[in-house]
Amino acid sequence: MYNIERYLKTLELDKILQMLSSEASIKDSRERALTLIPKTDFDEVSKLLNETFSAYQFSSMYQTPSFSGAKNVLSVLNRADAGAVLSMRDLLDTAETLRVIRVVKSWRENCTALQSTPLEDLFNSLIPNKYLEDKINFAIKNEEELNDNASPTLYDIRRKISAKSSKIRELLDKIVKGPTAKYLQDNIVTQRDGRFVVPLKAEHKGQIGGIVHDTSATGSTLFIEPISVVETNNEIRVLKIKEKEEIDRILAELSAEAGSFVGGITSSFNALVELDLIFAKSKLAYKMKAAMPKINKKGYTYLKNARHPLINYKTVVPITVGLGKEYNTLVITGPNTGGKTVTIKTIGLLTLMAMCGLMVPVDDGSEIAIYSKIFADIGDEQSIEQSLSTFSSHMVNIISILDNADDDSLVLFDELCAGTDPIEGAALAKAILMRLSIFGSRVVATTHYPELKSYAIDTERVENASCEFDVKTLKPTYRLIIGMPGRSNAFAISGKLGLDQSIIDSAKEQVKDEDLRFERVVASLENARREAENEHKKAKKLRFELDEAKRKSDMREKELEIKLEKALNETREKATRILEDTRYKSSILLNELEEMKKQINAENAAKLAEKARLAYKGTLKELETDADPITVKKVAGEAVEAVNKGDIVVVADIGRDATVIDVKPDKKQAYVMAGAIKMWVDFENLRFKSSFSPTTEKPKTRNVTGLKSRAERTAVTEIDLRGMASDEAILELDAFIDNSVLSGIDTIRIIHGKGTGVLRKNVQAHLRRHKNILSFRLGTFGEGENGVTIAEVKG
């Protein structure tokens, strides 16, 4: 009969559940964690995993909600519903549980980024009851005392008790501080049986009349209630009885009200426990650095960089292993302590964890099959009680496995059929694997039998695997190599440890030639694998370097494009400014020509004006052409045949000087720097500076010729303040205005640029206060717009 509990302990699921339990906050959640049983229904497992992953997402975005403080008060509430009166402790526990329900519900409402998660039904089952929570907290101060304001009656009773107690103390203070104080053992007021008394010396009995309530252990002190306070003490006693009755009434009322909400609190608490357990799973996933596996019911498992969760993640060596796709049986061989047992335990344990709804320590892309049965034969199964040897005990377990396994089973064998005659053990192990193969079970088995290695090579859907071992260091690497049978390396290890070589040679002679040939083939395959792996690493490194070089090249190309675009934009802006200045100066020139037309004969003036207009249009077109930096400007001359670093050349298609900073003679290319731009240019697009005649640029001027009277005179009508600080610009402007006044100029043009507008603002503020400025305005289209200010000068 299939007994899953036995195999759960063998694969150490109980230790994982203990770790899970420690992550939960509520006692009921911790207990449930310890009793989790793997589910075999695919839909149920899928639901559990989706809930855990949803909690994992919540925690990553909003941290984990607090479940601390909640207690299982369902039994006491059921008693209250049946008419029992609860203690103050029980009522406070109920209020605290209601607080946790309310806080978790509020937390969910604030997590607005995640909607319609698999946990919504549980969150919706949380029903806060702030009314009952506040009522209990208002009435109860702590588990031993009610608040005075729990009811008006209680408040009134306690006020009277306090008043009468004060009255008694006043009377007794007169005794302990008056003439009778000399008869007292101590000048204090104390209580006995709830009544106020004073400690009287036994030898002075009768000096203070009253009732003796107690004596000291030695009999030297009598605790006497003086006659003067007896009546008041009696009144306090009556009030105390009324106080207790009122407290009982209040607790009965609170208990009845709490019991009336037992249904809502029960459903809320059950949902709270379930949520606490699910979020405990997510916290465990974070600690294990776990991932959400894909699950299937086709018997296919693929674990990518899987880590055994009970081994420190800093030291564990990940394994990558598959089962159920290309092969159903995996035979793992290799030396002892090489990691074979850890491997099969990792496969079994991670499968069980997933079936419990736990995320598993693997990389993304892993997949786990959900089985109806999981079997494991691992470890020392010797049974003293049944007088069975290790082999016999293992065989009893194997027989049980064979009786119950089917095509929906995972079977794990550690050292299958070891502990008996090697020949018979190998034959039995092979027969068992063949039988399970007929069943269709998924099997992972570790062994030292070479016959099983051969069986894996010769049989379809059976594959070899080995745990790598470094013979040079005598240490396992714990790497799992699929497709490669392992070697026990007994001879090599013994030799490294110092066993006499003659003994090793003698042992080798005892081994069959067939086995030796097989071991040599395996060794040859292992060497070939290592060489292939090294070549793969080199190729991977080379590819990484090529990718990195391409990435840097793409970045350099992108930077050049950005710099080129920036330079082009700057050139466009500069050209636009030149064009605006030219238009403005040309319009002034045309105005002057019109003025001349009025002063000389009409025929000459018309011819002169027409000539000026034609010259103006021709110059303007030329300026517009030159201002477009995109236009190809071919520089005449012969292309260079070769250049050297440091040569000054001209890039023909843009007409710009450049310095050669690198050369590729074989490709006939030079890496040049033209201003801020660096680029590769073909030799045919380069010219030496001496091979062409540079154009002579007419220097810019700020002077404009104007005729202000019949006599011809030249005066400056504009000033360029761009690039100056405000203080410097104002000084220059004052001098310019003074010169304009002396020259008889009535209109001036002040160029301050657009920029941030600070210089324009300061210039216009100064003009507003200047005694020689009649008015001013911003330039219009063709005058420079808001980059200039036109001012009228007072003569």
Side-chain angles (χ1 to χ4, degrees), residues 682-752:
D682 294 334
F683 284 177
E684 64 182 20
N685 192 26
L686 297 177
R687 307 286 185 270
F688 283 119
K689 289 262 314 185
S690 59
S691 66
F692 72 96
S693 299
T695 57
T696 302
E697 245 183 58
K698 187 175 181 180
K700 293 192 297 183
T701 177
R702 293 179 181 174
N703 298 329
V704 177
T705 301
L707 298 176
K708 290 301 176 181
S709 66
R710 293 182 182 276
E712 188 180 86
R713 59 183 297 183
T714 301
V716 178
T717 61
E718 78 171 30
I719 184 172
D720 191 345
L721 305 177
R722 289 176 295 182
M724 297 184 185
S726 294
D727 293 342
E728 179 188 1
I730 296 302
L731 291 174
E732 290 286 335
L733 180 59
D734 279 342
F736 176 67
I737 294 174
D738 291 344
N739 185 55
S740 299
V741 172
L742 294 174
S743 300
I745 297 173
D746 54 9
T747 303
I748 59 174
R749 181 171 183 256
I750 304 164
I751 305 173
H752 41 63

Side-chain angles (χ1 to χ4, degrees), residues 25 36 84 121 142 214 224 235 279 285 291 423 449 470 509 519 533 563 585 587 600 720:
S25 301
L36 284 182
D121 286 344
N142 53 53
D214 197 6
I224 292 183
E235 292 174 354
F279 275 95
I423 297 175
Y449 293 140
D470 190 340
E509 292 175 359
E519 286 296 317
E533 196 172 72
K563 288 181 179 178
K585 293 174 182 178
S587 64
I600 58 179
D720 191 345

Side-chain angles (χ1 to χ4, degrees), residues 13 82 154-155 166 176 256 261 295 312 351 378 421 426 566 597 611 619 680 705 731-732 740 766:
L13 180 65
L154 183 63
Y155 177 81
S166 298
V176 300
F261 292 109
I295 59 173
N312 191 309
T351 301
I378 300 172
D421 178 79
K566 182 179 179 181
K597 180 180 176 182
K611 184 177 179 181
T619 302
W680 285 99
T705 301
L731 291 174
E732 290 286 335
S740 299
H766 186 67

Side-chain angles (χ1 to χ4, degrees), residues 140-283:
I140 303 177
K141 187 175 184 178
N142 53 53
E143 62 182 278
E144 296 179 349
E145 184 180 2
L146 284 182
N147 285 316
D148 293 347
N149 295 321
S151 75
T153 302
L154 183 63
Y155 177 81
D156 185 59
I157 292 171
R158 287 184 173 175
R159 182 179 58 80
K160 290 179 180 179
I161 291 174
S162 178
K164 292 189 179 296
S165 297
S166 298
K167 180 181 177 181
I168 289 177
R169 286 188 176 277
E170 289 176 5
L171 292 172
L172 294 179
D173 279 347
K174 291 178 181 179
I175 295 175
V176 300
K177 294 178 181 178
T180 56
K182 60 185 178 181
Y183 303 125
L184 301 179
Q185 195 73 260
D186 292 299
N187 295 335
I188 62 171
V189 176
T190 184
Q191 283 188 333
R192 287 293 185 273
D193 297 329
R195 302 180 75 88
F196 289 97
V197 296
V198 293
L200 180 68
K201 294 177 181 177
E203 61 268 24
H204 297 300
K205 182 179 180 181
Q207 296 296 326
I208 298 176
I211 301 171
V212 177
H213 285 279
D214 197 6
T215 61
S216 65
T218 61
S220 60
T221 304
L222 304 176
F223 294 95
I224 292 183
E225 177 185 5
I227 294 296
S228 58
V229 300
V230 170
E231 184 60 31
T232 307
N233 263 332
N234 289 338
E235 292 174 354
I236 291 176
R237 175 63 63 88
V238 172
L239 289 172
K240 288 284 187 180
I241 292 172
K242 291 182 178 180
E243 180 188 32
K244 185 178 184 310
E245 290 174 350
E246 180 61 13
I247 289 173
D248 290 342
R249 186 196 66 79
I250 293 170
L251 291 178
E253 181 182 298
L254 287 174
S255 299
E257 193 148 20
S260 68
F261 292 109
V262 65
I265 297 175
T266 298
S267 61
S268 296
F269 180 75
N270 289 336
L272 198 68
V273 169
E274 190 68 25
L275 285 168
D276 184 32
L277 180 59
I278 293 170
F279 275 95
K281 292 178 180 179
S282 76
K283 287 190 283 186

Side-chain angles (χ1 to χ4, degrees), residues 450-641:
E451 291 86 352
L452 293 189
K453 303 176 189 178
S454 301
Y455 167 71
I457 293 173
D458 298 335
T459 309
E460 289 186 5
R461 300 199 63 76
V462 181
E463 184 61 271
N464 270 304
S466 61
C467 290
E468 193 177 52
F469 190 88
D470 190 340
V471 180
K472 294 180 180 178
T473 62
L474 295 181
K475 292 182 179 179
T477 66
Y478 299 108
R479 290 182 58 210
L480 183 68
I481 312 299
I482 303 296
M484 177 69 63
R487 302 166 60 202
S488 63
N489 293 301
F491 294 151
I493 293 172
S494 300
K496 288 284 185 180
L497 292 175
L499 184 65
D500 189 279
Q501 187 61 39
S502 61
I503 297 176
I504 296 174
D505 293 340
S506 176
K508 287 182 179 180
E509 292 175 359
Q510 310 303 315
V511 180
K512 295 180 181 178
D513 291 341
E514 183 180 345
D515 292 336
L516 285 175
R517 284 197 300 272
F518 182 80
E519 286 296 317
R520 284 195 289 270
V521 169
V522 171
S524 176
L525 287 173
E526 187 171 352
N527 290 333
R529 179 193 62 79
R530 289 181 185 273
E531 291 176 4
E533 196 172 72
N534 290 333
E535 291 299 321
H536 176 70
K537 288 180 180 178
K538 291 179 182 178
K540 190 175 181 180
K541 181 180 178 183
L542 180 60
R543 180 171 181 176
F544 174 78
E545 292 173 352
L546 290 174
D547 289 343
E548 186 68 13
K550 184 178 183 303
R551 184 184 68 81
K552 291 181 178 178
S553 175
D554 292 342
M555 286 178 62
R556 191 181 299 114
E557 184 178 349
K558 187 68 176 178
E559 289 173 0
L560 288 175
E561 289 177 359
I562 293 172
K563 288 181 179 178
L564 180 59
E565 183 65 25
K566 182 179 179 181
L568 293 176
N569 288 335
E570 290 174 353
T571 305
R572 287 191 186 97
E573 291 176 3
K574 186 175 180 180
T576 301
R577 288 198 299 269
I578 294 171
L579 193 57
E580 287 178 354
D581 290 346
T582 303
R583 282 177 175 153
Y584 173 71
K585 293 174 182 178
S586 299
S587 64
I588 291 176
L589 180 60
L590 289 175
N591 289 337
E592 291 175 350
L593 290 174
E594 290 294 336
E595 186 67 24
M596 291 171 60
K597 180 180 176 182
K598 297 175 182 178
Q599 299 179 22
I600 58 179
N601 67 76
E603 183 179 351
N604 291 338
K607 290 180 180 178
L608 186 59
E610 182 64 24
K611 184 177 179 181
R613 283 192 183 93
L614 291 175
Y616 162 70
K617 291 180 179 178
T619 302
L620 189 62
K621 184 171 182 62
E622 182 180 349
L623 283 169
E624 287 176 342
T625 302
D626 290 342
D628 184 3
I630 305 301
T631 304
V632 176
K633 302 175 182 178
K634 276 288 185 182
V635 175
E638 295 182 359
V640 302
E641 293 296 331

